[in-house]
DNA sequence: CGGTTGTTTGAACTGATTCAATCTGTGTGG
DNA sequence: CCACACAGATTGAATCAGTTCAAACAACCG
């Protein structure tokens, strides 16, 4: 998970002068802004989102700590911290070397996985998100912090928050997860993984 | 559209010895095979697809003539010629140079666009596909060849063929398209474009 | 305490699926 | 030239997943 940081040269990314705080849920960069920058996530969780005519936002990608938002969408996608985050912004050229070799195939792989999942049922998609957070966030298979609102989960998985709530209740009723205030507990990781067709292979670089 | 071919060195891609015919609808590479190769499309239309537990296939990307299928999914996605196609297969290393600069950002941009579109209604998604075929296939805004079955359109847009049929009928009833045996005619390109929120900017390289 | 944000629940509605049947064009063999 | 098979397109009816609207409930915070 931390490989990118090492590859790209710690001296750039660890420069404290470039570090920025990004408050939760305040757009860090709105859709439509030019993007020449690479944004490295140190802490928190960042979403790339598109907006349709009706004003509905659809999240198209997540970036966990250690991952990087590369330019390439011509600014069509906004950047939205789902939780309070720490970022380092560099000009893309400074770290381009590691883009081709490692990062881009992995990001494409994740995008394809999301597309392949996109027609599954809401139960499967929601379970898949929980699995992905567990692995990509490095939390392991016991539990993850409950850091997203149900509205945010809906933006990611393409449902209304009303339905997210029912899906969570259903996952709990099936004893796949448990919920406390601050955490989601995996009561049956293997069952959840199977329900979601989640195979972490797509998260390894090509 | 042909830029990639030029960039990557015509001598490799134009080598007639490497040219292969790929018959329509016979998997060229099944999901799960290793992928070390770059597959260049000379003619036809290629789909990358994933398969879920239920055996349903979901197409995650298309490759038109002049475009290339890069490795990076660890073989999780199969390659399926939607129509009879001409391909050139090379080892990825031989043409890696052009990957980072041009091709990958564009492919990521397209994947994001598909994800952003994925929650729109069936009418909008189908209209979007027609627009994308027109531009990416280089057919212009008058008409496109009717080369896909309604089952294939459903695989791409995530619907059943029954619904695809109804959507086509609806698009025709709204005088956005016309249908003949071999072609789909754009009767109101601007209206179709607006309905689909189709902005060809995402098809330009970053 | 009131204000705000997030969660939970109910009921009506709708887009899309599923199942099933019919229709149309195309090619094939007698 | 006709009989037949086959793939694709079209249509109808029942069903279902998810949305929408509306309201109640819970937790948190100044």
């Amino acid at each position: 998970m931390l490989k990118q940081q090492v590859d790209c040269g710690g001296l750039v990314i660890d420069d404290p002068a470039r570090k920025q705080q990004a408050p939760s849920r305040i757009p860090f960069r709105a859709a439509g802004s030019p993007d020449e920058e690479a944004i490295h996530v140190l802490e928190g969780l960042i979403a790339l989102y598109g907006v349709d005519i009706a004003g509905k936002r659809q999240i198209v990608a997540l970036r966990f700590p250690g991952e990087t938002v590369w330019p390439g969408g011509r600014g069509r996608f906004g950047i939205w911290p789902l939780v309070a985050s720490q970022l380092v912004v560099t000009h893309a050229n400074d770290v381009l070397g590691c883009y081709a070799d490692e990062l881009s195939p992995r990001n494409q792989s994740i995008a394809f996985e999301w597309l392949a999942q996109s027609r599954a049922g809401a139960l499967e998609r929601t379970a898949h998100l929980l699995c992905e957070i567990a692995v990509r966030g490095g939390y392991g298979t016991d539990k993850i912090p409950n850091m997203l609102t149900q509205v945010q989960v809906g933006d990611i998985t393409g449902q209304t928050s009303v339905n997210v709530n029912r899906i969570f209740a259903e996952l709990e009723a099936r004893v796949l997860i448990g919920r406390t205030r601050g955490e989601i507990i995996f009561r049956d990781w293997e069952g959840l993984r199977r329900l979601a067709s989640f195979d972490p292979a797509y998260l390894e670089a090509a």
Side-chain angles (χ1 to χ4, degrees), chain A:
Chain A
M1 205 56 60
L2 296 173
K3 197 170 173 207
Q4 291 94 319
Q5 290 185 20
V6 175
D7 283 347
C8 294
L11 76 167
V12 175
I13 292 178
D14 290 345
D15 181 353
R18 292 164 178 265
K19 199 180 292 186
Q20 298 190 29
Q21 301 298 321
S24 174
R25 297 187 233 181
I26 295 175
F28 185 74
R29 193 177 69 200
S33 319
D35 60 335
E36 300 278 311
E37 304 154 337
I39 301 176
H40 313 275
V41 182
L42 295 184
E43 269 177 48
L45 181 58
I46 298 295
L48 282 79
Y49 68 96
V51 188
D52 69 7
I53 298 188
K56 247 191 222 169
R57 57 179 177 264
Q58 170 67 40
I59 289 176
V60 298
L62 297 177
R63 295 292 179 258
F64 286 82
E67 300 180 346
T68 301
V69 180
W70 294 95
R74 299 184 74 81
R76 283 177 306 113
F77 299 102
I79 293 177
W80 197 51
L82 295 177
V83 302
S85 301
Q86 270 193 8
L87 310 177
V88 172
V89 180
T90 61
H91 195 279
N93 291 340
D94 296 344
V95 286
L96 194 62
C98 55
Y99 176 63
D101 301 332
E102 285 295 333
L103 302 174
S104 170
R106 180 169 188 266
N107 286 341
Q108 174 182 289
S109 185
I110 293 171
F112 281 2
E113 180 73 21
W114 282 32
L115 277 167
Q117 265 282 324
S118 66
R119 301 298 157 195
L123 197 67
E124 289 80 3
R125 293 201 314 275
T126 309
H128 194 276
L129 175 63
L130 296 180
C131 291
E132 185 164 324
I133 290 174
V135 172
R136 222 170 137 192
Y139 298 114
T141 58
D142 288 340
K143 62 187 183 206
I144 56 176
N146 192 353
M147 50 177 157
L148 302 177
T149 68
Q150 295 180 351
V151 173
Q152 290 175 325
V153 172
D155 287 338
I156 299 170
T157 54
Q159 328 164 55
T160 57
S161 64
V162 173
N163 208 49
V164 169
N165 185 277
R166 286 170 182 142
I167 295 294
F168 275 159
E170 172 72 17
L171 289 173
E172 194 167 33
R174 295 193 188 189
V175 202
L176 294 170
I177 65 169
R179 290 181 288 170
T180 68
R181 172 127 6 254
E183 294 177 331
I184 292 174
I185 297 140
F186 297 123
R187 296 224 180 285
D188 177 6
W189 169 261
E190 183 54 28
L192 194 70
R193 202 197 55 71
R194 200 158 358 95
L195 171 65
S197 309
F198 178 80
D199 172 2
Y202 75 91
L203 293 173
E204 300 159 25

